[in-house]
Amino acid sequence: QVQLQESGPGLVKPSQTLSLTCTVSGDSISSTGHYWSWIRQNPGKGLEWIGYIYYSGDTYYNPSLKSRIAMSIDASKNQFSLSLTSVNAADTAVYYCARMILPRYFDYWGQGTLVTVSS
Amino acid sequence: DIQMTQSPSSLSASVGDRVTITCRASQTITTYLNWYQQKPGKAPKVLIYAASNLQNGVPSRFSGSGSGTDFTLTISSLQPEDFAAYYCQQSYSPPFTFGPGTKVDIK
């Protein structure tokens, strides 16, 4: 059974960096054809795809966030991570990690973690 | 970016009703259209992928159709556990985008 679990601070101050990690179990993060994604949801904007990283390190980021995002992968720990810099209140959301498989749909999701941006 | 719209934004229905939700893309996405169900406090769960393919383990009362820009999700006989929000999502071209959702509640 594939499981994903997000971890990281639930509160981040404005202008600081949001950092989250997703730990994958039941699947190898190095599996071909599996793309590891971050998606967020806030009441005002619905579901927003942030980007994905492939085991090779290739990434694709949402252009709306591209200047502030970095994703990385740690195959030894079967984890991937998200870093979002210069956060503001609009970045307050539930952040999900998810696995995308071909033909490009999200078949497994983490439970989500609420990140609040506030001083 | 490809914009996704859904209609209706919400609907009230009874157990046993046939329910249809529509999704429209701002440009052709062939059949790169997925449907998700989300219950309060939970992550979305995929129901249909590539427009018409039922995800393993999803009841057969759910079905999807369409291609190009217009798609539908149909629940043939609404069950109590189906009261939730439903989202379409295009995966034709990144950034992958979601519809605003349709909330199905009890009449």
Side-chain angles (χ1 to χ4, degrees), chain A residues 35-94:
Chain A
Y35 297 79
W36 304 99
S37 285
W38 290 97
I39 296 159
R40 69 182 183 180
Q41 184 173 31
N42 66 43
K45 290 187 69 177
L47 287 158
E48 181 178 30
W49 176 74
I50 298 170
Y52 70 64
I53 186 166
Y54 196 51
Y55 78 95
S56 61
D58 288 347
T59 55
Y60 199 109
Y61 300 149
N62 191 322
S64 69
L65 299 166
K66 187 175 182 179
S67 63
R68 298 195 290 135
I69 296 175
M71 294 184 187
S72 61
I73 208 159
D74 186 338
S76 68
K77 296 181 179 178
N78 225 36
Q79 294 176 335
F80 63 104
S81 297
L82 168 70
S83 177
L84 178 65
T85 62
S86 304
V87 297
N88 57 63
D91 296 311
T92 293
V94 175

